Amino acid sequence: NMEELFSRRLQVNVRCRDGEERRANIRVTIELQLTTSPVHKRDLLVRLTDDLDSYFLFNLSISEEDFQSLKVQQGLLIDFASFPQKFIDLLNLCYSEQESDNPRFLLHLSYQSAVLEGPANFSVVETNAFKHLNHLSLRLVQGSDKEIKDYLAVCLSSLKTLSEKTKELDKLRSEWTGQSSSLSSRYSQELQLEREKAAEIQSRLQHQTEQLRQDLERSHKQSSQQLHSRVTELEASCRELTERKYKNESSVRDLKTKLVSAEEECQRSKQQVLSLRRENSTLDTAVHEKERSVSQLQMRVAVLEQEVKDKDQLMRRTKEVLEATQQQKESVEENADSKELQIRKLEATVKSLSEELIKANGIIKKLQGEVRGLVGKIKVKNTVTVSQEKVLQDTSEKLQSAEKDLQSTQQQVVTKDEQVCPTCFGSSFIDFQCKWHYSEDIRCVRSPARLFMNFLQPIHVCPLCRADVYTSVLKEHGGTLTLLHPERHPV
């Protein structure tokens, strides 16, 4: 499939290797050949021919692969799709410049041999005062005999087609001549008739024009008379208006003086307005600030009112609690009298128990000495057998469990004392201060034997209610007090 993109005769400067340069009108034809089978590809065909020399034929076929090498060699900045149109644009520039004295774009065809044979370089050159710029250079190959024969066959077929078209043109020309002669004779008769009609119309129009002119003259005379009378009236009115003008000018001068004074007064009023606006803006800001402070104060008053309400409620609740406390205090005072008697009895009991406490402290000292001896032996015997370590570990676990049982039992004792014997461990008994200072007992408590002391504390019985309870240790001023029942637990 061939598509012709460009075909035109252009002036080309032809030069051999050793010959002189000459100008020739050469036809440049550019065609695009599309091939779909077996592979889809496009080839650009460039052909140079001379209408005066049928044997002058140069061909060039450029595929996409050939264009890539050409692009690299000559530094082209376009792709194969836009190359044909850019090439045609350069040829059109050469065609537009070929009639000028100093053309800017030229076409050169250079032979490498001394005669017009063999390959040739077809170049597009731009000339300027500095140098000649070679935009594009294509290496064309001279057509072979077969190609020339094919070209001549194509030219012959085109000539045959041209001769047939020429005969058709002559035939059409003769037909056109006959038709034009018949039409001219017919149109001449019609033209004569039209001329006669035009003459009649012209005479009728002249008569109408003359009559119209006379009517216009009469109307013009009447209108001129009317205008003359109108002019006299206008002159009288003009004189009257002139007098009015003078009067108005004098009044305008008076009004101008009044206007100047009014403008001065207006300027002063504007200045006053500006000053009042400034004062108004300052007052507005002050009002906004006061409104803001008033809103803040209102919020604060609301908060204070809420606080006052809360405090009133708190006072009422406090009064109720105070009344309840007063009632409770009266009941406690009544109980205090009864408890005081019990305290006196308990003091006597404590005095009797102090002697037993001294004996218990002696036992504790003895146990402390034994514990110190055991500790010294343990330090000496650093290496022991696995069975001894297991025995010691079991012993320590038993001691820990015993201590935990003791603490839980003491807690239970406190709760039982409060439940069973309120006469012995009531609120009045808690106020009782036991102030015995036992320095040796304090040292025993702080020594490592404290674990054994807690474990070996005996059980005592309350002398008043005769109930079994655990030891009650009173911690006051760093001392301890152990209460023992003299009957069940002799020292």
Side-chain angles (χ1 to χ4, degrees):
N1 188 8
M2 299 291 291
E3 180 183 0
E4 185 175 300
L5 302 177
F6 181 81
S7 179
R8 179 172 287 179
R9 292 185 68 188
L10 302 172
Q11 285 187 2
V12 181
N13 296 326
V14 182
R15 170 184 281 181
C16 297
R17 187 175 61 183
D18 297 329
E20 295 181 358
E21 184 175 333
R22 65 180 180 87
R23 284 192 177 185
N25 291 325
I26 297 175
R27 181 175 295 277
V28 180
T29 304
I30 299 175
E31 296 176 348
L32 184 63
Q33 182 179 5
L34 299 177
T35 305
T36 57
S37 62
V39 180
H40 180 77
K41 64 178 182 176
R42 295 180 299 173
D43 293 333
L44 186 67
L45 303 179
V46 181
R47 183 171 63 248
L48 301 182
T49 57
D50 190 356
D51 295 344
L52 302 178
D53 187 2
S54 301
Y55 295 97
F56 183 85
L57 178 63
F58 285 89
N59 294 321
L60 175 62
S61 177
I62 303 174
S63 62
E64 294 186 9
E65 293 80 5
D66 298 334
F67 176 76
Q68 296 299 325
S69 61
L70 180 66
K71 180 178 179 180
V72 173
Q73 291 174 3
Q74 300 189 17
L76 301 180
L77 302 177
I78 57 176
D79 54 0
F80 183 75
S82 59
F83 173 68
Q85 186 60 43
K86 295 296 182 182
F87 187 27
I88 291 170
D89 294 339
L90 289 175
L91 295 177
N92 288 327
L93 288 173
C94 296
Y95 179 75
S96 62
E97 296 278 340
Q98 67 184 2
E99 299 298 333
S100 62
D101 296 334
N102 295 316
R104 184 180 174 186
F105 289 91
L106 298 174
L107 294 174
H108 288 275
L109 184 63
S110 302
Y111 292 90
Q112 296 181 359
S113 61
V115 295
L116 299 178
E117 293 180 357
N121 290 328
F122 182 66
S123 304
V124 181
V125 180
E126 181 182 357
T127 61
N128 54 33
F130 183 71
K131 65 180 293 186
H132 289 187
L133 299 176
N134 191 357
H135 286 282
L136 182 63
S137 179
L138 300 176
R139 185 177 179 83
L140 302 177
V141 180
Q142 189 176 11
S144 61
D145 294 338
K146 183 179 181 303
E147 292 175 349
I148 291 172
K149 289 178 181 179
D150 295 337
Y151 170 67
L152 291 175
V154 172
C155 291
L156 184 59
S157 62
S158 62
L159 285 174
K160 289 180 180 179
T161 306
L162 184 60
S163 64
E164 292 177 356
K165 289 183 179 180
T166 304
K167 290 178 181 179
E168 291 178 359
L169 181 61
D170 292 337
K171 184 179 180 181
L172 292 172
R173 187 176 295 170
S174 63
E175 291 177 356
W176 178 77
T177 303
Q179 291 178 359
S180 62
S181 61
S182 63
L183 289 172
S184 62
S185 62
R186 188 179 65 184
Y187 288 151
S188 63
Q189 293 176 0
E190 293 178 358
L191 182 61
Q192 185 65 28
L193 294 174
E194 291 293 332
R195 283 177 182 176
E196 292 175 357
K197 291 179 181 179
E200 292 177 0
I201 293 171
Q202 186 177 4
S203 62
R204 188 173 63 252
L205 289 175
Q206 284 179 356
H207 178 70
Q208 291 176 358
T209 304
E210 184 65 23
Q211 188 177 0
L212 182 60
R213 186 180 62 80
Q214 292 175 1
D215 295 337
L216 289 173
E217 285 178 354
R218 284 193 299 270
S219 64
H220 178 66
K221 286 179 181 179
Q222 292 176 1
S223 63
S224 62
Q225 290 174 0
Q226 292 175 0
L227 289 173
H228 184 68
S229 61
R230 180 64 177 166
V231 165
T232 55
E233 293 176 358
L234 290 173
E235 286 178 353
S237 64
C238 183
R239 285 192 296 269
E240 185 179 357
L241 291 173
T242 304
E243 293 176 357
R244 289 182 182 178
K245 176 185 175 184
Y246 292 146
K247 292 179 182 180
N248 290 329
E249 286 179 354
S250 62
S251 63
V252 165
R253 284 193 295 272
D254 296 336
L255 292 172
K256 282 184 178 179
T257 55
K258 291 180 181 179
L259 180 63
V260 171
S261 61
E263 287 179 351
E264 293 177 355
E265 185 67 25
C266 181
Q267 190 68 25
R268 288 194 295 272
S269 300
K270 287 181 179 179
Q271 292 178 358
Q272 290 178 1
V273 167
L274 290 174
S275 62
L276 290 174
R277 283 179 180 174
R278 294 193 191 95
E279 291 178 0
N280 190 13
S281 63
T282 55
L283 291 173
D284 288 337
T285 55
V287 166
H288 289 314
E289 291 177 356
K290 288 181 179 179
E291 288 179 353
R292 192 182 301 109
S293 62
V294 166
S295 63
Q296 292 177 356
L297 291 173
Q298 288 176 353
M299 292 174 63
R300 188 173 179 184
V301 166
V303 173
L304 292 174
E305 288 178 354
Q306 186 65 32
E307 290 179 355
V308 168
K309 291 179 181 178
D310 296 337
K311 288 182 179 179
D312 290 338
Q313 293 179 0
L314 183 62
M315 288 292 293
R316 287 194 296 270
R317 293 175 183 174
T318 305
K319 285 180 181 180
E320 294 175 356
V321 172
L322 184 61
E323 291 175 357
T325 305
Q326 188 69 26
Q327 294 176 359
Q328 187 176 5
K329 180 180 177 182
E330 291 175 358
S331 62
V332 168
E333 287 177 354
E334 293 176 358
N335 293 328
D337 294 335
S338 61
K339 298 294 182 182
E340 188 175 358
L341 296 173
Q342 294 178 1
I343 288 169
R344 291 193 184 96
K345 294 178 182 180
L346 291 172
E347 286 178 352
T349 306
V350 168
K351 288 180 181 179
S352 62
L353 293 174
S354 61
E355 295 177 356
E356 296 178 359
L357 182 63
I358 293 170
K359 294 178 181 179
N361 288 330
I363 295 170
I364 290 168
K365 289 179 181 180
K366 184 177 179 181
L367 292 173
Q368 286 178 352
E370 292 177 358
V371 168
R372 291 191 187 95
L374 290 173
V375 170
K377 291 178 181 180
I378 290 169
K379 289 181 179 179
V380 173
K381 296 178 181 180
N382 290 325
T383 57
V384 293
T385 60
V386 177
S387 61
Q388 289 176 346
E389 288 178 357
K390 187 175 181 181
V391 170
L392 288 175
Q393 186 176 1
D394 296 337
T395 305
S396 63
E397 290 177 355
K398 290 179 181 179
L399 290 175
Q400 289 177 359
S401 62
E403 187 178 6
K404 291 180 181 178
D405 294 337
L406 180 61
Q407 289 178 357
S408 61
T409 306
Q410 288 179 355
Q411 186 66 28
Q412 293 176 2
V413 166
V414 173
T415 57
K416 288 181 179 180
D417 289 342
E418 291 178 354
Q419 294 175 0
V420 176
C421 188
T423 59
C424 296
F425 298 99
S427 60
S428 300
F429 184 72
I430 294 172
D431 295 333
F432 180 72
Q433 301 290 328
C434 296
K435 298 182 179 179
W436 286 278
H437 301 280
Y438 299 106
S439 59
E440 292 179 1
D441 191 15
I442 292 170
R443 286 193 300 271
C444 292
V445 171
R446 294 177 181 176
S447 65
R450 180 179 179 182
L451 179 64
F452 294 99
M453 290 168 60
N454 291 330
F455 182 73
L456 296 173
Q457 287 177 354
I459 299 173
H460 75 282
V461 178
C462 178
L464 298 178
C465 64
R466 311 298 294 175
D468 291 339
V469 295
Y470 284 95
T471 304
S472 174
V473 180
L474 302 176
K475 296 181 180 180
E476 180 70 25
H477 300 287
T480 60
L481 174 63
T482 303
L483 301 178
L484 303 173
H485 193 272
E487 297 177 357
R488 294 186 182 182
H489 303 286
V491 178

